């Protein structure tokens, strides 16, 4: 049975490993295995002792305890270790959704958060983030009007890819209250958690008994090649049903990944602050860049996370869509920006990724292109 194209991954597949300037990556700067082990006080010898047998389906108990420690009210029995973060989206949707269900999902969104549900159930109704002059906003009237008897699940992602939106504490509580009052599941993708620039947001796992929370080491901790992720599911029946689905996908986590994930969690604060300091520096570069080109871009500064969603004034670029421009830019100038259409939004937006050390040189290359090819006056 066919599923919609995974536009983000398809776009990256074309350019990610060939274009010299990546300006759209959502993960933060990574490191070598040796560097991680050294930071965590471990050694390659210890890593070499990891045996390559099957592991526990739910995940190594010690690793699950470490993950549980990242929440306030969660035990290791609530945690399921995955073979990649994205696997968690697939498993949760497969486990929870029936053909007659409706899902309400924040938009724009990482493709999997919409497409797997759309493949499985009657309808995925978009809950659109609203672009105000200089920031993104949630519209609760919109959400309330969409919840109905068929609503099985609300899907959100905070900090949000691609806008960098995070709800206020009051907005977060309002969302939980609405979900509880309507007895719907809340799938909360928290893979960018820990990248808040000021007040950390609570986890839905600690606030709502019918939440399914996704976490992982790919973004905040800069370790996407580890493929380390987890779900927090407090409902034991759902957890067992999900683990049954997992037997059909990956059975159990990879042993080397579990070892390295455990090491990474020993130094999680260090890893996150390393990412945050790169993002802060890149945000300052963004401020300078966007104030230099006010006729070309509308910049809404992200409140958290490693990405920003930027509107192009397409007339000044001479292109009909952001998608056409992004392909042109990658093919002719070797600069990769992700079209917002891949994330289900208007084709005049692009995603910037702020977590890489090479951001400055990529942005400088882009500034040259904008000023030389798109006739800016500065
Ligand atoms: C919001 C969100 N959820 C999940 C994922 C999946 O993470 P991974 O690629 O590490 O499986 C991504 C990756 O970009 C993402 O942005």
């Amino acid at each position: 049975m066919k599923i919609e194209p995974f536009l983000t991954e398809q776009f990256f597949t074309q350019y990610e490993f060939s274009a010299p300037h990546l300006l759209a990556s959502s993960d933060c700067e990574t490191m070598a295995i040796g560097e991680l082990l050294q930071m965590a006080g471990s050694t390659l010898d210890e890593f070499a002792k990891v045996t390559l047998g099957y592991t526990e389906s739910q995940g190594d108990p010690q690793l699950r305890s470490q993950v549980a420690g990242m929440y306030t009210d969660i035990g290791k029995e609530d945690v399921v270790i995955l073979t990649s973060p994205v696997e968690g989206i697939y498993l949760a949707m497969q486990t929870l959704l029936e053909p007659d269900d409706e899902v309400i999902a924040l938009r724009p969104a990482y493709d999997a958060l919409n497409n797997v549900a759309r493949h499985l159930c009657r309808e995925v109704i978009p809950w659109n983030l609203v672009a105000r002059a200089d920031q993104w906003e949630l519209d609760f009237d919109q959400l309330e009007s969409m919840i109905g008897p068929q609503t099985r699940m609300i899907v959100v992602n905070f900090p949000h890819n691609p806008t960098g939106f995070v709800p206020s504490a009051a907005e977060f509580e309002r969302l939980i209250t609405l979900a509880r009052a309507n007895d719907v599941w809340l799938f909360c993708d928290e893979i960018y958690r820990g990248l808040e620039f000021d007040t950390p947001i609570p986890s839905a796992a600690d606030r709502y008994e019918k939440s399914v929370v996704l976490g992982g080491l790919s973004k905040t901790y800069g370790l996407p090649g580890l493929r380390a992720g987890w779900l927090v599911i407090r409902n034991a029946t759902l957890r067992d049903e999900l683990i049954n689905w997992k037997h059909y996908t990956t059975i159990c986590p990879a042993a080397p990944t579990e070892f390295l994930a455990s090491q990474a969690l020993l130094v999680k604060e260090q890893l996150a602050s390393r990412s945050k300091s790169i993002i802060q520096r890149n945000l300052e570069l963004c401020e300078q860049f966007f104030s230099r080109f006010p006729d070309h871009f509308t910049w809404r500064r992200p409140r958290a996370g490693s990405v920003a969603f930027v509107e192009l004034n397409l007339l000044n670029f001479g292109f009909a869509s952001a998608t056409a421009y992004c392909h042109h830019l990658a093919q002719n100038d070797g600069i990769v920006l992700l079209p917002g259409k891949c994330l289900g939004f208007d084709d005049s937006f692009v995603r910037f990724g702020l977590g890489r050390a090479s951001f400055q040189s990529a942005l400088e290359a882009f500034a040259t292109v904008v000023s030389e090819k798109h006739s800016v006056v500065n």
Side-chain angles (χ1 to χ4, degrees), residues 126-196:
W127 180 22
N128 291 308
L129 271 162
V130 183
R132 297 282 178 227
D134 60 357
Q135 60 175 358
W136 294 90
E137 270 180 27
L138 286 178
D139 177 351
F140 276 93
D141 292 340
Q142 197 193 127
L143 175 62
E144 281 179 40
S145 72
M146 293 183 308
I147 300 179
Q150 299 301 118
T151 310
R152 174 85 166 145
M153 190 198 291
I154 299 173
V155 179
V156 291
N157 158 223
F158 303 133
H160 182 246
N161 170 14
T163 64
F165 176 85
V166 268
S168 65
E171 286 173 322
F172 194 69
E173 286 312 318
R174 191 166 173 193
L175 176 62
I176 304 285
T177 306
L178 258 174
R180 187 175 280 126
N182 290 280
D183 194 29
V184 297
W185 289 92
L186 181 67
F187 184 90
C188 194
D189 181 332
E190 299 180 357
I191 197 157
Y192 297 88
R193 187 164 175 243
L195 288 181
E196 298 86 353

Side-chain angles (χ1 to χ4, degrees), residues 24 285 315-316:
L285 297 171
L315 279 180
N316 282 342

Side-chain angles (χ1 to χ4, degrees), residues 39-344:
M39 193 188 261
S42 182
T43 60
L44 277 172
D45 279 351
E46 271 186 68
F47 186 33
K49 286 185 196 139
V50 174
T51 55
L52 296 174
Y54 280 111
T55 62
E56 289 191 35
S57 278
Q58 190 171 347
D60 173 58
Q62 190 208 317
L63 177 59
R64 286 192 279 121
S65 293
Q66 285 179 284
V67 170
M70 299 169 85
Y71 305 85
T72 51
D73 209 9
I74 294 302
K76 71 171 187 297
E77 65 284 359
D78 302 322
V79 176
V80 180
I81 304 294
L82 305 163
T83 305
S84 69
V86 71
E87 183 194 18
I89 300 173
Y90 183 81
L91 293 177
M93 303 295 167
Q94 282 287 6
T95 311
L96 273 166
L97 298 179
E98 299 290 342
D100 277 344
D101 290 337
E102 285 176 7
V103 169
I104 296 170
L106 204 58
R107 185 169 76 175
Y110 182 61
D111 320 36
L113 292 171
N114 276 268
N115 296 358
V116 181
R118 205 174 283 130
H119 177 68
L120 293 168
C121 71
R122 192 169 77 183
E123 197 181 353
V124 176
I125 306 169
W127 180 22
N128 291 308
L129 271 162
V130 183
R132 297 282 178 227
D134 60 357
Q135 60 175 358
W136 294 90
E137 270 180 27
L138 286 178
D139 177 351
F140 276 93
D141 292 340
Q142 197 193 127
L143 175 62
E144 281 179 40
S145 72
M146 293 183 308
I147 300 179
Q150 299 301 118
T151 310
R152 174 85 166 145
M153 190 198 291
I154 299 173
V155 179
V156 291
N157 158 223
F158 303 133
H160 182 246
N161 170 14
T163 64
F165 176 85
V166 268
S168 65
E171 286 173 322
F172 194 69
E173 286 312 318
R174 191 166 173 193
L175 176 62
I176 304 285
T177 306
L178 258 174
R180 187 175 280 126
N182 290 280
D183 194 29
V184 297
W185 289 92
L186 181 67
F187 184 90
C188 194
D189 181 332
E190 299 180 357
I191 197 157
Y192 297 88
R193 187 164 175 243
L195 288 181
E196 298 86 353
F197 306 147
D198 29 55
T199 328
I201 54 163
S203 170
D206 289 317
R207 288 285 200 275
Y208 185 37
E209 55 291 347
K210 285 189 83 170
S211 63
V212 177
V213 164
L214 178 68
L217 299 183
S218 300
K219 312 294 181 183
T220 309
Y221 306 98
L223 303 171
L226 202 48
R227 313 308 296 127
W230 57 84
L231 287 172
V232 182
I233 308 174
R234 282 162 59 182
N235 181 296
T237 310
L238 182 73
R239 212 165 48 232
D240 289 346
E241 287 171 8
L242 183 133
I243 291 169
N244 186 45
W245 261 105
K246 191 169 186 277
H247 295 319
Y248 287 96
T249 55
T250 57
I251 299 178
C252 62
T257 295
E258 286 204 304
F259 174 84
L260 292 172
S262 177
Q263 298 304 312
L265 287 178
L266 292 176
V267 288
K268 57 183 186 303
E269 284 83 10
Q270 256 170 284
L271 291 169
S273 42
R274 174 180 181 266
S275 299
K276 278 200 275 193
S277 62
I278 294 171
I279 293 168
Q280 286 302 342
R281 198 205 55 185
N282 291 339
L283 274 172
E284 292 322 305
L285 297 171
C286 281
E287 296 290 349
Q288 292 160 21
F289 175 88
F290 291 115
S291 62
R292 185 174 161 199
F293 300 113
D295 297 333
H296 287 77
F297 304 95
T298 303
W299 163 242
R300 296 176 179 87
R301 191 182 165 100
R303 288 190 206 163
S306 51
V307 285
F309 209 37
V310 178
E311 202 168 349
L312 303 184
N313 180 350
L314 287 166
L315 279 180
N316 282 342
F317 285 90
F319 280 81
S321 68
T323 301
Y325 182 60
C326 289
H327 282 292
H328 176 89
L329 188 68
Q331 286 162 15
N332 293 279
D333 303 295
I335 298 169
V336 179
L337 283 174
L338 179 71
K341 191 151 190 258
C342 294
L343 303 159

